[in-house]
Amino acid sequence: MADLLVRNELAATFYIPRKSQMETIPEEKIRELSQRFEIGAHTIDHLVLTSLPDVEAERQIHDSGVWIADVTGQACRMFCPPLGKFQREHVNAIARHGFTGYRTVELLQCDPPKRRVRGDYIRGDKGWELSSMTTSVQAHPHPRSAYLRDAMKRAAWGPFQRAWKFAGKSNWVEMAEVMLEEAVQTGGVFHLWGHSWEIEANDQWQNLETTFEMLADAIRSGRAVTATNGEICSLENPASLF
């Protein structure tokens, strides 16, 4: 994955837990990745936050950011809840522990990150700011019904319309092409995500390489720029990347 990203000069954010149900990479490889890419937190043990008591969920959030910072020697700005499952108290904990933003698994979106602000600055409460980041396409061969269910679950009309429109699209690469063009035209954010192990299991490496080349072409032509999740979530206006 890293080799393909470097070859196409693409920025990326890797969300890595210390331990997982799947094999994880050793700390020395994480340090190596961090020299070129952003490393985000993904809990310590890849546990679903909504299945945990509040105290343990907060520990998983806090300790994962500390661990990433210790391993890479760089501040950890981004957090991604495992399986995309979280509740309001988890968002509050993500903010309290100093993250800039968190990434969801909402699909078929190309809107800039939404910034949440909490705190009474007049009364001296420091409060916090936190950005939430959605996604455009997953590097995974989902049926159209999966996109429709995702949009309905989140009551998101725009993604529902897109899922319906994509009925004729045969694979996620074609969907990525359409979503990228929408982001370019609207000044939005195209966000591709996926799991390396799923790409391997579903034999998607060629599709991924094709999509990376498409993104690289958009960047070389000046129609788009590449940035990590943390860089985008730190901006007041993503258009300022240009």
Side-chain angles (χ1 to χ4, degrees):
M1 180 74 76
D3 289 343
L4 284 177
L5 289 163
V6 169
R7 187 186 313 163
N8 289 282
E9 300 182 317
L10 297 173
T13 300
F14 286 80
Y15 292 98
I16 305 176
R18 185 174 62 187
K19 184 174 69 174
S20 175
Q21 297 81 2
M22 305 293 293
E23 183 180 0
T24 55
I25 63 176
E27 291 186 353
E28 59 267 26
K29 287 293 184 181
I30 297 174
R31 276 191 290 272
E32 183 179 337
L33 273 179
S34 72
Q35 300 306 305
R36 176 64 174 76
F37 304 104
E38 178 180 42
I39 310 297
H42 200 37
T43 73
I44 284 290
D45 302 304
H46 200 258
L47 298 177
V48 178
L49 296 176
T50 53
S51 70
L52 302 173
D54 289 348
V55 172
E56 176 59 16
E58 181 142 2
R59 186 186 75 83
Q60 289 284 330
I61 293 167
H62 169 266
D63 289 4
S64 61
V66 172
W67 173 68
I68 291 293
D70 286 345
V71 170
T72 65
Q74 303 172 35
C76 182
R77 297 193 291 177
M78 294 297 300
F79 181 87
C80 181
L83 305 188
K85 295 185 176 181
F86 59 92
Q87 295 173 339
R88 181 178 300 176
E89 59 265 30
H90 304 130
V91 174
N92 292 340
I94 294 167
R96 281 198 303 273
H97 294 299
F99 292 97
T100 299
Y102 65 101
R103 201 215 73 189
T104 72
V105 294
E106 294 181 53
L107 293 165
L108 301 185
Q109 304 269 16
C110 58
D111 296 330
K114 296 180 177 64
R115 183 158 297 174
R116 302 185 181 193
V117 180
R118 178 166 298 181
D120 189 340
Y121 293 89
I122 296 176
R123 296 180 181 177
D125 179 7
K126 183 179 179 181
W128 51 257
E129 292 188 12
L130 184 70
S131 293
S132 62
M133 189 166 193
T134 57
T135 69
S136 304
V137 176
Q138 182 181 1
H140 185 80
H142 287 298
R144 183 180 64 151
S145 58
Y147 291 99
L148 290 170
R149 285 196 302 271
D150 181 78
M152 292 175 66
K153 179 174 64 176
R154 305 179 194 282
W157 179 242
F160 184 87
Q161 289 180 305
R162 294 185 188 103
W164 194 263
K165 181 178 69 175
F166 288 142
K169 301 301 177 186
S170 61
N171 58 49
W172 63 266
V173 179
E174 294 181 12
M175 297 175 72
E177 185 176 8
V178 173
M179 292 298 296
L180 173 62
E181 185 59 30
E182 180 175 336
V184 168
Q185 294 300 321
T186 63
V189 176
F190 173 82
H191 186 174
L192 177 72
W193 75 281
H195 298 105
S196 297
W197 64 269
E198 283 184 330
I199 292 168
E200 177 72 21
N202 295 310
D203 192 25
Q204 295 296 303
W205 287 109
Q206 183 57 57
N207 280 338
L208 186 69
E209 187 165 4
T210 298
T211 306
F212 281 179
E213 290 171 354
M214 176 184 69
L215 296 175
D217 286 343
I219 293 163
R220 283 192 291 266
S221 68
R223 299 171 67 241
V225 295
T226 183
T228 66
N229 288 184
E231 288 171 338
I232 295 171
C233 284
S234 298
L235 297 172
E236 290 289 341
N237 176 15
S240 62
L241 280 170
F242 288 89

